[in-house]
Amino acid sequence: MNEPTFPSHMPPMAPLAAQEQTLGKQPQHVAHVQTPRHNGWRIATFVPAFIGTALLTYGLYRWMAVNGMSGMEWALLSMIGATFVWVALSVSTVGVAIAGILARDRADARSWRDVPCIDVALLVPIYNEEPVNVFGNAAAMLRDLANRAGPHTYTLFVLSDTRDDAIAAQEWQAFEDLAKRAPAGFAVHYRRRDTNTDKKVGNIAEWTRGWGAAFEGMVVLDADSLMTGRAIERLASELSTDPQAGLIQSFPMLIGAQTVFARLQQFSNVAYGWLLAEGLATWARSEGNYWGHNAIIRTRAFATSAMLPHIKGRGGRSELILSHDFVEAGLLRRAGWGVRFLPRVTGSFEETPATLIDYVIRDRRWCRGNLQHLRLLRTKGLHPVSRFHLFHGAVAYLMSPAWFFLLVIWALLGKDAETNVIRYFNEANPLFPDWPPAMSHIDSAVFLVIMYAMLLTPKIAGAGIIAATPRAARVFGGVGPFLGSFAIEVALSIAYAPIMMIQQCKAVLRALTTDSEAWAPQSREARRHSWGTLIKFHWVEVALGLLLLSGFLAGLISVWLLPIVVSLVLAVPLSALSGVRISSRVPASFRLDSPYTLREPAIMQSAQQERARLSLALTPSKLKL
């Protein structure tokens, strides 16, 4: 491995043999660890979802088959079943979460005394990020770890793939500042690669091969990651006391939200996300997943079991595995290592895009990587649950085209037999569907009410638990402000859902027809996009909305599709609203407050102080350009 020609400060190399995995063959290195089976919770999760979907599709089949089934009817019925099963699965996951919480013992309260000490590397891979934020966060985490005086030893590595020389100059200056101010006993290192081969995957792989042997575990962080010393120490202690664990994932909570869209994401994450996370942890157990950051990995397990190869892309070209985290988790489990998810590890944070446009831009990259997972389902030796994680990641994006298909069919069916566009244009075709007379706006309403109720069940369950628990409601500002914010979040989520559906349809189409997506750092700062940018970005939604609106005004489309029509027509102003900063003068019920907006975490306050201090130190006149 060649040392970079850019300024670098690294410890002596500690090479670790790493085996690039062959996906078409069984793994050569399998850990001799036994993970327990948890089929009971999985049966309780998946069976009710499948039964509910089967009952719904059978009921619709009996209703639609009055005059015989056509190809279009079978396609529509299949699409309804394919979309509903995932909605039902989220509902059953919530049920399992509640049952698991009631049944779980007080394992989280155990003592962590006499924990075996391990050496842990804190890895921060970056690419053209804001150095002030990256190193400010790093300084806050090191200080918090030092204050805890835990049993483990930590070394921080900032691994730069930055291509902008001006940003890199700031990175080096920020590193020198951090190295001088780091608490005693904490080593800090920096390395900038000459070429960013294989992006983040290659960056982590090069560190693993060059320095991994010196560390039992590595905590992988993102540029916007922020973890308390307690959270990092808990992950390290879990790894040191569980010889079966290859990876332990925390549940990052969203912080730093200032705009409407960011607050929307943060409120949802804090108020309801924990319930779905509990359900996932309950049934996944040792076959959990990896989200690419805020997790600890056993270094040798990663080197021998999860080093990723390239795969064949279009035209036989070599292609990088993009959403690498899901695949790495699957390969670790394939080799016998446990992959655990600990949603109750508090103090794990990340930031979220500030506007709808910024979120969509990030989502395009995720879409391309998750659709790539469909080709990886053939990987030999994967655990069935690992295959499900890969499949579910792809389905999360394929659901949008499925919902769009249903929307189109529903619009063409009209509100009654007289306005059925499909039937109108195909009267002479005996093979085309002859929809039952019961296909009216009332039946449409019943179906849509069922779907909306199922979609909202996880949110209603989470909100109900918080509202019924005085202590929990108080951290949201009280029952009144919480329920007001809950209503605002639900209304805005419904408003943004059709826009996201169209944008994800576009993302799927881009992934299927183009070879690559621009790799750019995520925008995390609140910024207002111009009206020209908004119109250019959302013209497809507006055009579709106006088309549906014309059908509605002509009396051809059911009134139950009106919320979708309104959202699409108003896509531009809704997108503009997403970037509006929420003022503290706004009434409490409209602020979408959460515990992290009302009482900012101490680690965040510390990071902001470090950022402010560092921003003064990194003045333009001092840059070493």
Side-chain angles (χ1 to χ4, degrees), residues 311-333:
I311 60 175
K312 286 187 178 181
R314 274 192 197 88
R317 288 189 295 271
S318 177
E319 189 174 281
L320 177 69
I321 294 176
L322 299 175
S323 291
H324 56 91
D325 39 15
F326 282 39
V327 184
E328 289 161 349
L331 294 180
L332 282 168
R333 187 65 193 90

Side-chain angles (χ1 to χ4, degrees), residues 114-197:
D114 302 323
V115 171
C117 173
I118 61 173
D119 291 321
V120 178
L122 308 177
L123 307 184
V124 187
I126 57 176
Y127 173 80
N128 287 350
E129 299 285 349
E130 175 56 55
V132 166
N133 294 346
V134 172
F135 287 88
N137 285 6
M141 287 187 283
L142 292 181
R143 180 186 298 173
D144 207 45
L145 278 168
N147 291 338
R148 291 195 62 81
H152 311 294
T153 302
Y154 300 95
T155 303
L156 175 73
F157 292 86
V158 178
L159 306 176
S160 175
D161 265 343
T162 294
R163 300 297 94 194
D164 187 305
D165 289 339
I167 296 176
Q170 286 187 309
E171 289 176 1
W172 180 251
Q173 188 182 356
F175 159 71
E176 291 181 320
D177 178 271
L178 179 59
K180 293 176 183 177
R181 298 174 59 86
F186 290 83
V188 179
H189 301 284
Y190 172 87
R191 180 175 186 262
R192 182 185 176 202
R193 294 200 296 169
D194 287 343
T195 57
N196 59 333
T197 304

